[in-house]
Amino acid sequence: IRDRYPSQRHIGVVGLGAGTLASYGRSGDRIRFYELDPLVVSFAKRYFSFLASSLATVTLVIGDGRRSLDQELGRTGSNGFDLLVIDEAGQFSLAATIAVAPAASRLLLLGDPQQLPQVSQGTHPEPVDDSALGWLMDGNAVLPDAYGVFLPDSRRMHPAVALPVSRLSYDGRLSSHPC
């Protein structure tokens, strides 16, 4: 996005789990975070510096990002985001992704639908019940290259744990980064 928008960028981020993106902000950029849990916001402000030290103008919206984006779209017709980042997109429904997509000219979906499934309290017809990333994967163990980037190095598992997980869930493409 730096190359496509060399001057000021307007970025929306659903989920403060991707809050470190603020550290990439430059003077004149605007980054708006949507976070459901006020405790996550308090924790991030207290223990991390990426929000306060960003060169960008950072704003936080506490509440359901899907609803907040929908309300903003209803008022203005567009948020004018150059990029909308959805953290934990493996938990973000396809329907919600389609609903918030008009907020930006580009979407970046982060996450792994094999780790945490989408939370659902009802039964919906396919593919509405799928997550956005799950729908893009279309039954593949790893997101096809045409749709994104698979990060093959895990920094969370010992190699002895990563090997069988890789074989069982990621077509043998996941490895443990030597720590």
Side-chain angles (χ1 to χ4, degrees):
I1 189 130
R2 282 183 190 243
D3 295 336
R4 184 165 295 274
Y5 304 99
S7 57
Q8 299 172 345
R9 298 170 296 175
H10 189 200
I11 300 169
V13 183
V14 178
L16 202 48
T20 57
L21 291 175
S23 64
Y24 293 97
R26 298 179 298 203
S27 180
D29 290 349
R30 294 174 292 147
I31 305 174
R32 185 175 182 97
F33 288 93
Y34 300 87
E35 175 54 52
L36 181 63
D37 189 343
L39 291 175
V40 170
V41 173
S42 296
F43 189 86
K45 286 180 174 180
R46 183 173 181 180
Y47 295 106
F48 299 104
S49 62
F50 50 81
L51 296 173
S53 65
S54 178
L55 297 178
T57 299
V58 174
T59 56
L60 294 166
V61 176
I62 299 174
D64 189 325
R66 297 166 294 191
R67 286 191 179 175
S68 297
L69 283 163
D70 185 52
Q71 289 169 353
E72 291 170 10
L73 282 167
R75 284 194 303 269
T76 64
S78 171
N79 296 75
F81 290 126
D82 300 313
L83 176 69
L84 179 63
V85 179
I86 300 175
D87 185 37
E88 291 297 347
Q91 297 179 34
F92 210 78
S93 75
L94 179 59
T97 303
I98 291 169
V100 301
S105 56
R106 294 182 175 266
L107 289 175
L108 175 61
L109 305 177
L110 303 176
D112 182 350
Q114 295 193 58
Q115 287 186 359
L116 297 171
Q118 175 189 227
V119 176
S120 180
Q121 294 181 348
T123 303
H124 308 287
E126 295 295 331
V128 175
D129 228 12
D130 288 347
S131 72
L133 278 176
W135 183 78
L136 285 172
M137 289 177 64
D138 193 27
N140 293 299
V142 177
L143 186 68
D145 292 340
Y147 296 116
V149 177
F150 174 72
L151 302 176
D153 295 324
S154 172
R155 295 175 185 260
R156 296 180 173 183
M157 293 183 278
H158 186 277
V161 175
L163 185 61
V165 169
S166 178
R167 285 188 197 138
L168 292 170
S169 300
Y170 299 99
D171 286 340
R173 293 181 56 190
L174 184 70
S175 62
S176 182
H177 186 273
C179 297

